[in-house]
Each structure stands twice: as structure tokens, then as C-alpha cells.
Amino acid sequence: MKRFIYADNAATAKLSSSALDAMLPWLQSDFANPSQPYSFSRAAKTAIKEARQIIADCIGASSDEIFFTSGGTESDNWAIKGSAISHTIITSEIEHHAVLNSCKAMAASGADVKYLKPTRDGVILPDNLEKNISDTSLVSIMLANNEIGTIQPICELCEITHAHGALFHTDAVQAVGHIPVDVKSLGVDMLSASAHKFNGPKGVGFLYIKSGTSLLPFHDGGSQESGKRAGTENVAGIVGMATALKENCERMSETAKRLYGYEKLLIDNLSGLDFIRNGGENHLPGVINLSFKGASGEAILHRMDLKGICISTGSACDSVNTQVSHVIRAIGVPVEYAQGTIRISLGADNTEEDVVAIANALKQILSN
Ligand code: PLP
């Protein structure tokens, strides 16, 4: 029987069993609307309160700074569109489209948006921000890149931003649950996260908003989320997200150590092939972005699929786009390698055997 190997965890990760178990009662027996005044609603209201506290503890926030959303895209849209009131934004060329297209929408309504260039390793240098910042209201730089895994120097970027009186938002969708994230030591004003990237359910996430930060409500309606994000809460999703995040944080260092080991194993097993590894030394555990000389990333993806192996050519949201991704272009991967780019993203469930099978499959495909 053909083995199935899932190695696209940066696109989405499998729901953890404990998150599923924690979610079920809120979909069935305890289905009450948490906003109702009767006693049947009390358990749901308490579950949301507890989930908010668990999530806050995982990122060093206080519970009243956590606002539940429908995921990373919504959190990014909210942070950018709700805070850039004076319409001057700095972001980077390698952000996710949730940020890039939110900035594009702001630009269409008159905002001035600057895009910082990354280094060849995908790093946004603090000096680059320092040179470009003036009369800026918002800086939005991701914590870790979804295609190449590079982790940004957020503390330094944040300090520069604050010295110029601007707000700092970070898209931490790929980082939360995978590397330690502490909002206070990072110094950020807003931080986006999404549950399905850390083994929680799809369609739920949160935006951290530092206490005292002025941000317009995402949308208007009822008084949920302190009147900033109206709508009946996704109780099961919120509980599942908190359960998954706590679980991932508890096993984070063990998982990261194992995944960094697997990366080395994979690269060692690819010796003899002509490829470049993209992304810097400081990168997310298990995210391996490779560009093979003279190859087609899309063809590799489909041939891997025939072997039962799921990988990606770039970000999941880009899967219909066969062009070289904006990230690969921005970091300047040489043209003869750029078309042959793939992303392998390993997760907590992957094994050493998976990694060896992935390497063998790549060698077979690329030597034909
Ligand atoms: N930001 C980054 C860095 C991502 O990788 C993704 C998803 O791929 C998103 C935002 C969007 O998150 P969601 O799928 O929860 O809307």
C-alpha cells in the first residue's frame, strides 16, 4: 500500500485529538449562546473566559488583550485597516497576502505604503527600517515567514518603530505554537495568530491588542469581544484553539529539537542534487524551502503527490499561481533555481522514516 506522508504543515496542521475532544461538548450538549442570561449559557461563557486566559498565558499577555477572530487573515486585516488612521504604513515585500492585500486596499483609499526589501536570507534589517521610517503610523512585519521560515528581529524593529511614535503589528501566524512568543519581550502592539497552524481547528484565531492601543472595531454589532468584534462566539473553535496552543507550547522545545534534526537529515540525504536552501540560519523548525536548478516546483509537487507525499511550492493561498512566489523573487533566488522551488514543512507527527522517504522521492524525481 502507498504510504501517505503529510509534509505541508505550514499550510495547515492536523487537528490534535485533545483539541477535538475539548471541542465536542460545545457543538453538542453545551450548545448555548454564551451571551444569554440563563444558567445554561454560563458554562459556555466560562469556557471562553478560560480559553482567553490560557491563550494569554501562552504568549505573555493579559486576558483582556486577546480578541478572538476567524483566523490569521481577519486578524491581519483588522490590525492594518483598524489602526492606520493617518495612512502611512511600512511593511515588507515578503509578507503574507493577508497583509500585502490589506495594505493594497489601504493604498487604494489614499494611504502611503512602503515595502521594505529583505536580505538574501529573507531578513528585514533594522537599519533598513530606520532609513525608511518617518511620519509613519503603522509598521507591520511578520514574525516568521510562511514560505522560507525566516524569523525576523522583531524586538529591534519594534524599538525603532516606537522611537518614531508608530504602532507595530506582527503577523505571527507561523510562529505562535512553534517558537517561544512573548508579546511583552517582543514589545509589539498587535500580533496575529491562527489556530489551524498550531494543530487547532480552522476558521478561528486571535489578535493580541496591547492594552491602551487605539484600534477601530473590526465590525459592528453586539457587545462580544468588548464591542470590538461583534458576533456570536465560535465557542468550540475557541476552546479547541486554546487546548491546541497549550499542548503545542508544552511540547515546543522537544518538537523543535526533533524537527531541526530532521532538517539536517533531509539535507544530508539530498547530497548530489544541485539545489539552494532558502531562508536564514534563524528559522522556524521544520520549514525547509529548496530551489532545484533547472526544475519546476510545480512538477515536483505533482510527482510527489503521485508518490503519496504532500508538499508545497509556496504559500497555500498561492497554490493556483504557478509563477515564482513574491517571497522567492524578493530574496533574489537566481533565475535558474527560482522555478524549481518547493517548501517541505514538517510537523510534530512526522517521523525519521517520513524524512528519508521524502528525500528518496526527491532524488528519484530530480534525477529523471
Ligand atoms: N499569515 C501567514 C504568515 C500565513 O501563513 C497565513 C496562512 O497561510 C495567514 C496569515 C492566513 O491565516 P488564515 O489561514 O488563518 O486566514
Side-chain angles (χ1 to χ4, degrees):
M1 202 178 75
K2 192 167 76 174
R3 251 178 100 201
F4 173 71
I5 299 174
Y6 185 74
D8 198 19
N9 288 274
T12 196
K14 185 178 168 186
L15 181 67
S16 94
S17 306
S18 36
L20 175 64
D21 291 345
M23 290 169 74
L24 288 174
W26 310 104
L27 295 164
Q28 296 176 315
S29 50
D30 285 317
F31 60 86
N33 184 326
S35 296
Q36 288 302 91
Y38 39 73
S39 52
F40 180 43
S41 288
R42 224 167 280 150
K45 204 177 292 171
T46 305
I48 292 176
K49 189 172 170 210
E50 287 172 0
R52 205 184 300 278
Q53 188 62 59
I54 290 170
I55 289 168
D57 290 346
C58 288
I59 63 160
S62 47
S63 62
D64 58 0
E65 296 174 314
I66 303 296
F67 293 82
F68 296 124
T69 65
S70 67
T73 301
E74 181 183 318
S75 300
D76 287 344
N77 270 263
W78 188 6
I80 290 162
K81 295 175 181 171
S83 65
I85 298 162
S86 62
H87 290 197
T88 49
I89 307 169
I90 293 184
T91 186
S92 83
E93 290 182 356
I94 57 167
E95 299 298 310
H96 188 272
H97 283 113
V99 166
L100 290 177
N101 288 340
S102 293
C103 289
K104 206 168 151 190
M106 294 299 288
S109 57
D112 175 25
V113 185
K114 277 188 202 160
Y115 298 88
L116 300 182
K117 259 206 170 312
T119 64
R120 179 68 184 85
D121 279 346
V123 179
I124 305 302
L125 293 174
D127 275 359
N128 191 5
L129 175 62
E130 185 71 70
K131 269 186 236 143
N132 283 282
I133 197 166
S134 76
D135 285 336
T136 302
S137 52
L138 176 74
V139 175
S140 180
I141 305 287
M142 69 203 319
L143 209 167
N145 186 269
N146 48 302
E147 292 190 37
I148 56 177
T150 309
I151 298 170
Q152 301 298 341
I154 296 297
C155 291
E156 291 92 323
L157 295 168
C158 218
E159 267 175 35
I160 294 168
T161 301
H162 288 155
H164 288 264
L167 289 176
F168 193 94
H169 164 251
T170 191
D171 174 342
V173 165
Q174 293 289 342
V176 169
H178 299 282
I179 56 170
V181 171
D182 183 280
V183 288
K184 296 288 181 282
S185 49
L186 288 172
V188 297
D189 301 296
M190 291 172 284
L191 175 144
S192 303
S194 176
H196 73 107
K197 305 291 187 179
F198 51 77
N199 306 93
K202 292 172 183 59
V204 62
F206 65 87
L207 180 66
Y208 156 80
I209 308 173
K210 187 165 86 186
S211 176
T213 305
S214 164
L215 189 70
L216 294 173
F218 181 70
H219 49 217
D220 301 308
S223 61
Q224 294 92 350
E225 301 303 296
S226 310
K228 283 182 179 291
R229 200 275 186 183
T232 302
E233 298 91 337
N234 174 0
V235 186
I238 289 166
V239 170
M241 170 163 67
T243 307
L245 183 56
K246 186 162 183 272
E247 189 176 48
N248 269 29
C249 287
E250 282 164 0
R251 64 181 184 182
M252 187 182 282
S253 60
E254 178 270 320
T255 308
K257 195 167 160 226
R258 191 156 40 87
L259 295 184
Y260 285 131
Y262 287 170
E263 289 179 18
K264 186 174 173 337
L265 180 68
L266 183 85
I267 300 296
D268 289 350
N269 273 272
L270 293 177
S271 67
L273 295 179
D274 189 350
F275 68 92
I276 297 171
R277 176 160 187 194
N278 303 307
E281 192 56 35
N282 191 18
H283 65 270
L284 290 172
V287 175
I288 309 151
N289 189 295
L290 306 171
S291 296
F292 292 94
K293 190 175 183 185
S296 150
E298 207 194 348
I300 299 173
L301 181 149
H302 290 299
R303 293 185 66 187
M304 292 291 271
D305 189 24
L306 291 173
K307 292 175 184 290
I309 303 172
C310 297
I311 58 157
S312 163
T313 52
S315 61
C317 323
D318 261 355
S319 60
V320 286
N321 191 343
T322 56
Q323 288 167 7
V324 170
S325 88
H326 66 290
V327 176
I328 295 304
R329 259 185 282 126
I331 63 171
V333 174
V335 278
E336 65 274 28
Y337 289 86
Q339 286 284 357
T341 302
I342 58 164
R343 177 190 68 186
I344 296 159
S345 49
L346 303 170
D349 285 350
N350 285 117
T351 62
E352 203 170 305
E353 293 78 63
D354 290 348
V355 176
V356 173
I358 292 169
N360 287 341
L362 283 172
K363 276 203 284 203
Q364 230 177 48
I365 291 167
L366 287 152
S367 47
N368 275 328

